[in-house]
């Protein structure tokens, strides 16, 4: 669980406290917790805080993004999270695997922890595939994770954005202990996806953005939280048309004709995209009529 810091207004960081089974004694005045999905929660929090779940209108971001831009945004967002009170996540986060192998991660963790206890660190990596216990990195050796890799929406396949928890060992090294791998749209757009259909729909919507931009209209695409839920993927199109106020179109995307409806009072949607109405063109025709 990631929550707002209840401290005075001059503190901007949102704490992500360690659990009592991490080998770190409870800090005075702090209730540590141990959620089962702590890595998934932190990864969702970082993506949301960095704005990587949004594809802005071309007019608002005319340059094609790069994977470097995406990681830079995540590193900036990490400044507002804490591994323990007073210690920024940004100081314990690496976006390359090399520091783990070079000893930089181990040195930082041992140096930064209280006497006799090392504070964990985190790798945030782009992976082309994930098959526990291995993360497959582009043009690099696979990274082995000691315990497990939690793969959200495994059927969606790669690529993935993976958050890996690292700990220092007794011999002064560091090892990857646990990981959460979240499927994303592609290497330059870290938008979380649940199915391959999500990627097809996002690709079509990006083409729509370009077409609208040529007519002076702006369209931003936002992937709604939660990213790792079991219901349909929810996308919101924010349209700004010439001479009109901003309007929103809410979409659901699912490969299942009978999507999970377990959520209590799910937000309303304007159209549910399924494998069938995507394949026969019904969705594209509906979207064209709606925009006109």
């Amino acid at each position: 669980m990631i929550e707002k810091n209840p401290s005075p207004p001059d503190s901007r960081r949102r704490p992500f406290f360690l659990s009592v089974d991490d080998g770190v004694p409870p800090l005075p005045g702090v209730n540590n917790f141990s959620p089962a999905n702590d890595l998934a929660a932190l990864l969702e929090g970082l993506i949301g805080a960095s704005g990587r779940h949004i594809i802005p209108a071309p007019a608002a971001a005319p340059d094609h993004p790069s994977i470097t831009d995406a990681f830079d945004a995540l590193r900036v967002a990490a400044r507002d999270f804490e591994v323990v009170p007073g210690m920024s996540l940004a100081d314990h986060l690496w976006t390359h695997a090399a520091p783990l192998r070079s000893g930089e991660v181990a040195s930082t963790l041992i140096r930064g922890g209280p006497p006799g206890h090392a504070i964990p660190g985190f790798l945030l990596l782009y992976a082309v595939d994930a098959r526990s216990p291995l993360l497959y990195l582009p043009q690099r050796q696979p990274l082995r994770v000691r315990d497990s890799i939690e793969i959200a929406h495994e059927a969606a396949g790669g690529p993935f954005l993976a958050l890996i928890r690292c700990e220092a060992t007794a011999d002064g090294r560091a090892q990857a202990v646990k990981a959460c791998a979240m499927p994303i749209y592609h290497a330059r757009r870290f938008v979380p996806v649940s199915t391959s259909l999500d990627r097809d729909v996002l690709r079509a919507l990006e083409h729509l953005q370009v077409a609208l931009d040529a007519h002076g209209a702006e369209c931003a695409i936002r992937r709604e939280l939660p990213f790792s839920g079991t219901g349909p993927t929810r996308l919101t199109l924010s349209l700004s048309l010439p001479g009109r106020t901003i309007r929103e179109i809410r979409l659901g995307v699912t490969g299942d004709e009978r999507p999970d409806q377990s959520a209590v009072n799910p937000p309303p949607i304007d159209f549910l995209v399924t494998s069938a109405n995507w394949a026969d063109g019904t969705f594209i025709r509906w979207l064209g009529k709606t925009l006109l």
Side-chain angles (χ1 to χ4, degrees):
M1 180 177 181
I2 301 174
E3 56 189 38
K4 289 280 187 178
N5 192 340
S7 53
D10 60 340
S11 176
R12 297 174 54 246
R13 288 179 183 160
R14 285 162 284 189
F16 184 80
F17 298 139
L18 301 174
S19 61
V20 294
D21 57 2
D22 288 315
V24 179
L27 297 167
V30 172
N31 292 322
N32 292 343
F33 61 86
S34 180
N37 62 339
D38 56 354
L39 284 177
L42 180 53
L43 184 53
E44 285 204 4
L46 284 170
I47 294 173
S50 67
R52 295 302 95 186
H53 62 306
I54 298 173
I55 303 178
D63 296 330
H64 291 293
S66 68
I67 192 170
T68 301
D69 296 330
F71 275 120
D72 285 347
L74 288 162
R75 278 194 292 264
V76 170
R79 297 172 186 169
D80 290 337
F81 291 78
E82 296 179 332
V83 286
V84 293
M87 185 175 293
S88 172
L89 173 62
D91 296 330
H92 274 230
L93 182 70
W94 292 265
T95 55
H96 298 280
L100 178 66
R101 299 182 174 114
S102 70
E104 178 184 338
V105 173
S107 175
T108 300
L109 302 189
I110 294 171
R111 185 174 64 249
H117 298 279
I119 300 296
F122 300 89
L123 299 179
L124 190 58
L125 305 176
Y126 173 80
V128 295
D129 199 1
R131 301 176 190 176
S132 192
L134 296 177
L135 278 172
Y136 293 87
L137 312 178
Q139 300 178 341
R140 296 288 188 276
Q141 289 183 343
L143 177 68
R144 180 175 293 274
V145 179
R146 188 191 71 188
D147 292 347
S148 63
I149 301 174
E150 175 191 350
I151 304 175
H153 306 296
E154 187 171 4
F160 297 90
L161 184 63
L163 183 66
I164 304 100
R165 184 189 186 92
C166 301
E167 294 178 0
T169 60
D171 59 1
R173 297 182 297 170
Q175 63 178 339
V177 176
K178 297 179 182 178
C180 174
M182 185 173 292
I184 55 174
Y185 179 24
H186 59 63
R188 295 178 292 106
R189 297 284 192 194
F190 289 177
V191 181
V193 298
S194 302
T195 65
S196 58
L197 179 60
D198 286 359
R199 291 191 179 97
D200 291 338
V201 171
L202 285 170
R203 193 173 299 112
L205 294 178
E206 275 203 293
H207 287 304
L208 172 65
Q209 283 182 315
V210 175
L212 290 172
D213 182 70
H215 293 280
E218 296 185 9
C219 175
I221 306 164
R222 183 174 69 249
R223 165 71 151 99
E224 303 291 356
L225 283 160
F227 303 140
S228 55
T230 58
T233 296
R234 293 183 177 272
L235 302 172
T236 300
L237 307 183
S238 297
L239 294 167
S240 177
L241 305 174
R244 303 185 195 178
T245 58
I246 295 177
R247 60 173 298 201
E248 290 190 341
I249 296 176
R250 296 173 295 275
L251 304 175
V253 184
T254 177
D256 190 350
E257 297 302 316
R258 294 182 178 178
D260 175 48
Q261 299 293 339
S262 59
V264 178
N265 298 322
I269 59 174
D270 299 308
F271 194 95
L272 179 64
V273 186
T274 66
S275 298
N277 63 39
W278 170 259
D280 66 16
T282 300
F283 166 62
I284 297 299
R285 289 193 296 271
W286 173 88
L287 187 59
K289 291 178 182 179
T290 302
L291 293 175
L292 293 174

